[in-house]
Amino acid sequence: MAQRRTRILSEMTWPEVREAIERGAGVFLPVGSTEQHGYHLPLATDVILPTELALAVADELDFLVAPPVAYGYRSRPLSGGGQGFVGTTSLQARTLMSLVEDVLSELIRQGFERIAVVNWHFENQNFVYEAACLALERHRGSSARILVAEHPFAELSEATMKTLFPEGFPGWDYEHASIMETSLMLHLRPELVLFDRAVDDASKRHPWYDVLPVPEDFVPASGTLWKATQASEEKGRITWEEIVAQFREAVVTELAGTGSPEAVRHER
């Protein structure tokens, strides 16, 4: 695959986008949040990571990367620290679904047939899936196909999990702003990580259920839900390589076209 001037849709001219559609290029829609990530990570962490994931395979598979959805569903205390932190700026579920549905519908209307929603914010799950369903219902005659990747790090290998969590895996809900996300950001965007401010923290209680109004002991003071100090750039590199490989395989498997296995092998 010849490398294009840019894969970022918003940086392209409309004739360039038209040419991409005509040759069968796909499009990624990253979806994240503007949410606190402890003392050490930026509010945009959940936007940066899915966008980087999309860009990591865009050239090889001939995809464009649409402007990300930078706001997500409300932060829940036991998986994101909750809404009480300054900077966390969230949407109601119906707003998020309408936004994602409208963007996907517009991409389909323009002629994109290979589309992947790349979500990172834990709380957006199900809502982006519903939005994709509704977008396709608007275009029943279209041949568009949408891959919904709501949790692209959910099935890491045993070896990678042991590297990340040598003391045992606490569960993805505890992992907010902790080992994995901090390690990935150290690998991908180290200039945005204030690692000297990273802390190990946890809520006093972490039950399997939620309570409203939110009890104070459900929320750690820092916003970090576990052991951020155990992160490293090396852990981030190992984990990122596996996440990218799994995402590439999913796109190649499910979104046939210029990114089909045969085409990818030919272009290499």
Side-chain angles (χ1 to χ4, degrees):
M1 180 69 61
Q3 188 168 8
R4 305 287 169 169
R5 182 176 69 85
T6 179
R7 289 288 170 174
I8 300 173
L9 188 147
S10 59
E11 295 180 356
M12 300 170 69
T13 65
W14 73 262
E16 287 177 311
V17 176
R18 182 180 62 183
E19 187 276 330
I21 293 171
E22 289 175 347
R23 71 171 184 267
V27 63
F28 293 128
L29 176 63
V31 183
S33 68
T34 298
E35 180 188 36
Q36 72 81 25
H37 275 72
Y39 298 142
H40 63 296
L41 292 179
L43 298 171
T45 295
D46 285 353
V47 179
I48 292 168
L49 293 174
T51 302
E52 290 288 343
L53 182 55
L55 289 170
V57 300
D59 264 331
E60 177 184 0
L61 303 183
D62 195 16
F63 271 70
L64 309 185
V65 180
V69 176
Y71 298 98
Y73 179 63
R74 71 180 78 242
S75 178
R76 294 175 63 165
L78 297 174
S79 57
Q83 288 291 122
F85 293 88
V86 172
T88 296
T89 308
S90 303
L91 303 175
Q92 295 180 2
R94 58 177 173 262
T95 306
L96 174 64
M97 288 191 296
S98 293
L99 175 58
V100 174
E101 178 190 344
D102 282 354
V103 173
L104 291 174
S105 180
E106 282 292 279
L107 294 171
I108 295 170
R109 179 187 62 79
Q110 293 169 47
F112 285 103
E113 295 184 346
R114 299 188 297 135
I115 303 170
V117 179
V118 192
N119 174 66
W120 199 270
H121 183 55
F122 197 79
E123 287 86 342
N124 288 342
Q125 296 182 84
N126 297 322
F127 301 129
V128 294
Y129 180 83
E130 177 68 2
C133 290
L134 294 173
L136 280 178
E137 287 180 3
R138 287 199 206 176
H139 301 274
R140 293 185 182 274
S142 169
S143 57
R145 185 176 174 88
I146 303 176
L147 168 67
V148 183
E150 291 185 301
H151 198 183
F153 50 87
E155 296 187 6
L156 297 175
S157 67
E158 183 178 353
T160 296
M161 292 295 282
K162 285 182 177 179
T163 298
L164 277 173
F165 310 111
E167 297 178 7
F169 176 51
W172 290 122
D173 52 342
Y174 284 88
E175 244 302 295
H176 180 76
S178 189
I179 297 174
M180 185 189 69
E181 286 190 321
T182 304
S183 295
L184 291 176
M185 289 295 287
L186 284 170
H187 174 59
L188 295 167
R189 298 294 296 276
E191 75 279 5
L192 297 179
V193 182
L194 306 177
F195 194 59
D196 59 330
R197 301 184 188 180
V199 298
D200 296 345
D201 202 358
S203 58
K204 293 179 182 178
R205 286 200 296 150
H206 195 101
W208 55 269
Y209 51 84
D210 285 291
V211 177
L212 294 170
V214 178
E216 290 185 3
D217 58 358
F218 277 25
V219 181
S222 69
T224 296
L225 302 193
W226 206 46
K227 300 179 179 180
T229 65
Q230 294 187 10
S232 70
E233 188 280 332
E234 177 65 7
K235 288 181 178 181
R237 181 189 63 78
I238 292 169
T239 304
W240 186 246
E241 289 176 355
E242 184 165 335
I243 290 172
V244 170
Q246 288 185 352
F247 182 59
R248 179 189 297 111
E249 181 180 2
V251 174
V252 168
T253 299
E254 304 300 339
L255 300 178
T258 57
S260 67
E262 293 77 14
V264 170
R265 283 195 293 269
H266 175 74
E267 288 159 1
R268 286 176 178 169

